[in-house]
Amino acid sequence: MSAPARTQVAIVGGGPAGLMLAHLLRLRGVDSVVLEARPRERVETRQRAGILEHGTVDALREVGADARMDELGLPHDGFELRFSGRSVRVDMQALTGHNVMIWAQTEVTKDLIALRLDQGEPLLFEAEVLEVSDVETDSPSVRYRHGGTEHVLHADVVVGADGSYGPARRAIPEHLVRRFERVYPYSWLGILADVAPSSHELIYARGRTGFALASMRSPTVTRAYIQVPNGTDAADWADDAIWDELSARFALDDGSFTLARGPITDKSVTPMRSMVCEPMRHGRLFLAGDAAHIVPPTGAKGLNLAVADVRVLAEALGEWFATKDERLVDAYSDTALRRVWRASHFSWTMTTMLHVDPDGDPFDEQLALSHLRHIGTSESARRALAENYRGLALGAV
Ligand code: DHB
C-alpha cells in the first residue's frame, strides 16, 4: 500500500497507541495515515504485558476489536501478594466494583492491525521516519523511507506514537523538554512455558532473593518473571534454575503451594526504568504512549497508559477538526500527564515494595515489608492499591 501525500493526522508508530488512535479518529470522521518502521510480524510478536484495565477494554469495544478478547481473554477479579511466606488476596471486584482482563498486548496489536487493513485504511509497515518537520507551523510534515524511496506526508497534525527511542520527539527543541528519569537496579527475566498456570489469579511475590510474578497467557500457557541483576543474559539461566528460583520465591510457610513446571518456549530480559517527558505537545506535534513516558512493568501500566493517552487525544482532535475549538487540544498534555504521574507513582510503589534492592539496606527492606503487611491488614490500603491496579476513571486522576 502506498500512502497518500496528505492526511489530517500523520501517526508515527503502529504499536497499540498509534493503531488505537487511528481507529478512534476514524470513528470521529478524522483521516489518518499510520507509519510503522518495523515489519508487521515483529510488531505482532513483541512480548509485552498482558493486563487490560476496564478503560482499555472499553476502548477496544468502541473500535470493534473485542471479538477475540471476549472469546479468549480471561477476566480476573483479584490478584495475590506474597511475602514472608504468606499470602494476601486483593479482591478488586469487591473493593472497586471493577475487574481487569488478561489479554496479551500481542493479541491486542494483531486485532487492531487486522481491523485497520480490513477497513482498507492506510497503515504502512517498514516505513522508516527520517524527520518530522514544521511542527510550529500549521502544515507539519513527515519525511520517511518506504520501499526504497523517500516520501513526504503532509498533515494538519503529527502524532508521535513511536516508542521511547523513536524520531518524533526529536522535533521538540531540547531546551523546551523536561525529562524525569529513574533507572531501577534490577531487571526481569521473563518466560513463557507450555504448562497450565499454577494459580487461577496472578501472584506478585517478594521472595527473600527478590521479586517473582506468576501470570498467564491462556489456560495452558504460563507467563512468569523473576527479578535478576541488570546486565543478565537470559541464555545464562538454565530452565531448571528458573523453575527452582520461581518455586522458592512463591513458597508459602504452610507448604500449600506447588509450582507446576513445563517446557519453556521463550526467555527474555527486560530492564526496568521510569521516564516522563514534558510537555506531550509542541505546536502541531502530540506525543502518546512510550514516546512520552515509560513505566517499569510491575503492575502492567504501559499499554493502559498509551490507550488512555490516545482516548484523550482522539476526543481533543475530534473536537478541534469538527469545530476548531482548541480547548481540549490545549489541555491534552496536562490532562494526559496527570494520569502518567499517577501510574508512575503506582508502578514505582509496586516495584519498590516487591523487589529486593541490591544496593538497599535493611531499612528499605523493613519499609517494604511494613507496606505489604499494611495492605494485608487494612481494607482501605487494599482498596487504594486495587483502584490504581484496575485503573482510575479518566477524570479521577
Ligand atoms: C504481566 C506483566 C506485568 O508486568 C504484570 O504486572 C502482570 C502481568 C504479564 O506479562 O502477564
Side-chain angles (χ1 to χ4, degrees), residues 80 82 195-201 203 214-216 219 221-223 243 250 256-261:
E80 207 181 314
R82 285 193 188 174
V195 58
S198 299
S199 160
H200 68 283
E201 290 184 343
I203 308 170
S215 181
M216 62 195 73
V221 176
T222 288
R223 176 81 170 145
W243 290 117
F250 291 127
S256 61
F257 181 77
T258 314
L259 185 70
R261 302 182 177 205

Side-chain angles (χ1 to χ4, degrees), residues 47-51 102 188 202 204 211 213-217 223-225 296-301 350 389:
Q47 281 300 328
R48 303 301 286 268
I51 299 183
I102 305 293
W188 279 12
L202 268 57
Y204 292 83
F211 172 79
L213 168 60
S215 181
M216 62 195 73
R217 285 292 173 268
R223 176 81 170 145
Y225 302 90
T298 333
K301 287 296 172 211
M350 286 283 278
Y389 190 90

Side-chain angles (χ1 to χ4, degrees), residues 336-363:
L337 282 166
R338 279 204 298 279
R339 170 173 290 267
V340 168
W341 279 113
R342 178 88 307 281
S344 298
H345 178 255
F346 169 72
S347 305
W348 173 86
T349 305
M350 286 283 278
T351 300
T352 50
M353 174 174 88
L354 290 162
H355 288 69
V356 173
D357 184 342
D359 311 317
D361 59 19
F363 191 86

Side-chain angles (χ1 to χ4, degrees), residues 161-239:
D162 50 346
S164 64
Y165 301 105
R169 201 169 63 215
R170 292 203 288 272
I172 309 182
E174 196 57 41
H175 71 278
L176 297 178
V177 178
R178 260 188 104 184
R179 261 174 83 94
F180 302 83
E181 196 155 19
R182 166 102 0 137
V183 176
Y184 295 89
Y186 31 70
S187 303
W188 279 12
L189 170 63
I191 60 158
L192 279 172
D194 283 335
V195 58
S198 299
S199 160
H200 68 283
E201 290 184 343
L202 268 57
I203 308 170
Y204 292 83
R206 180 189 174 97
R208 262 191 323 102
T209 51
F211 172 79
L213 168 60
S215 181
M216 62 195 73
R217 285 292 173 268
S218 75
T220 56
V221 176
T222 288
R223 176 81 170 145
Y225 302 90
I226 46 171
Q227 173 187 340
V228 290
N230 282 343
T232 294
D233 183 346
D236 291 343
W237 276 80
D239 294 7

Side-chain angles (χ1 to χ4, degrees), residues 16-58:
L19 292 163
M20 177 61 86
L21 178 65
H23 286 297
L24 291 170
L25 288 174
R26 183 173 184 269
L27 293 176
R28 288 158 181 77
V30 177
D31 290 333
S32 64
V33 171
V34 182
L35 302 172
E36 167 56 49
R38 294 164 299 170
R40 177 176 180 180
E41 194 260 332
R42 191 106 57 82
V43 180
E44 290 187 339
T45 52
R46 192 155 169 240
Q47 281 300 328
R48 303 301 286 268
I51 299 183
L52 308 186
E53 296 175 1
H54 67 106
T56 305
V57 169
D58 287 349

